[in-house]
Amino acid sequence: MVRNVLGSVLALVGAAAAVLSPFRDWYDGRPGRHYRIDELFTGITGSRPGPLGSILVAFLFAALLTVVGVVLRSRLLVAAAGVVVLGFTVLWMVRQGQSVGSLSVSGNGSGLQWGVAGALGGGVLLLLGAALMSGRRGGGRRAPREDGVRLYAAPGSQDPDTWPPTQEPGPSVQTSPLPEPEPDLYTGPPPGARRPGPRTRDTAARPGTGPEDQDTPPHPVVPDEGPDPDRPPRP
């Protein structure tokens, strides 16, 4: 984030310097906007072009590339703007040197002047800004952060899951048409190792007996001996 801000500031400053440079003197008191853009390919002449036919048009195009590159955070566009500025400036220097025989720098207003320095400096700042910018990060498989936690997208078909299931998202490599077995949620000992507790004993009531007769033996049955012969009959 900080690199993008610093790179954008340098790129915008460089674009502004490049656009302002044609309004200053370039050589022998002649401003850069007085050079025709086609003279950079055919040779320098003394003609004076209009606003849309001068070298200023190339620098305005470079400034437009810079603004679009800063908005889109595109290092390529910003670097392309710097190449345009430096390329046209160097091409002008080559044609101007062919026109006068040689280029010189002097303090009396003849030779190369501050307009050329502004164009060269603007192009260098554009390249430095492009190099400093971090650009736009690729999407990849990372999802945006939510509540301070970085989320990751589910793996696609190129990362299949393994068998048995690992509780991870993604397709499984199992090709059987049968349904996948569900895991046993019981985590205790096996049924054979259980000890019978008080609730597992057979305490059901036996048929024909009450609760008081469940744990006591039945009463002995005395056979019928008939009437007592010694007992007098009832009146």
Side-chain angles (χ1 to χ4, degrees):
M1 182 63 181
V2 177
R3 293 183 56 185
N4 279 327
V5 173
L6 294 178
S8 300
V9 171
L10 285 179
L12 293 176
V13 171
V19 172
L20 293 176
S21 65
F23 295 93
R24 307 186 68 178
D25 294 341
W26 278 40
Y27 197 84
D28 284 340
R30 186 178 180 182
R33 67 181 185 274
H34 290 173
Y35 291 93
R36 296 180 60 89
I37 192 171
D38 56 346
E39 292 178 353
L40 303 181
F41 304 95
T42 59
I44 301 298
T45 64
S47 62
R48 188 169 181 175
L52 299 180
S54 67
I55 197 175
L56 177 63
V57 176
F59 291 168
L60 289 176
F61 176 72
L64 179 61
L65 285 180
T66 303
V67 173
V68 175
V70 169
V71 171
L72 299 180
R73 289 187 296 177
S74 174
R75 302 174 62 185
L76 181 61
L77 292 178
V78 176
V83 171
V84 169
V85 173
L86 289 178
F88 275 90
T89 305
V90 172
L91 184 58
W92 172 88
M93 295 175 66
V94 172
R95 293 302 183 185
Q96 183 66 30
Q98 292 176 352
S99 176
V100 298
S102 63
L103 295 177
S104 61
V105 179
S106 61
N108 57 0
S110 62
L112 295 175
Q113 294 182 329
W114 289 107
V116 180
L120 292 176
V124 172
L125 288 178
L126 285 171
L127 293 181
L128 289 178
L132 187 59
M133 292 173 63
S134 60
R136 302 183 64 179
R137 297 182 179 180
R141 293 173 56 185
R142 291 187 177 184
R145 300 173 62 94
E146 293 184 3
D147 298 333
V149 179
R150 184 180 297 278
L151 304 180
Y152 292 85
S157 58
Q158 70 275 10
D159 298 323
D161 197 3
T162 57
W163 183 258
T166 58
Q167 307 299 331
E168 295 291 337
S172 176
V173 297
Q174 184 188 17
T175 58
S176 174
L178 300 178
E180 298 180 1
E182 297 182 358
D184 188 9
L185 301 180
Y186 179 74
T187 58
R194 300 176 184 174
R195 294 183 179 181
R199 294 186 178 181
T200 58
R201 297 177 180 175
D202 187 10
T203 57
R206 289 185 290 272
T209 60
E212 67 279 357
D213 298 331
Q214 291 182 9
D215 298 328
T216 56
H219 297 285
V221 179
V222 180
D224 187 9
E225 299 178 356
D228 187 3
D230 297 334
R231 185 178 180 179
R234 295 180 180 180

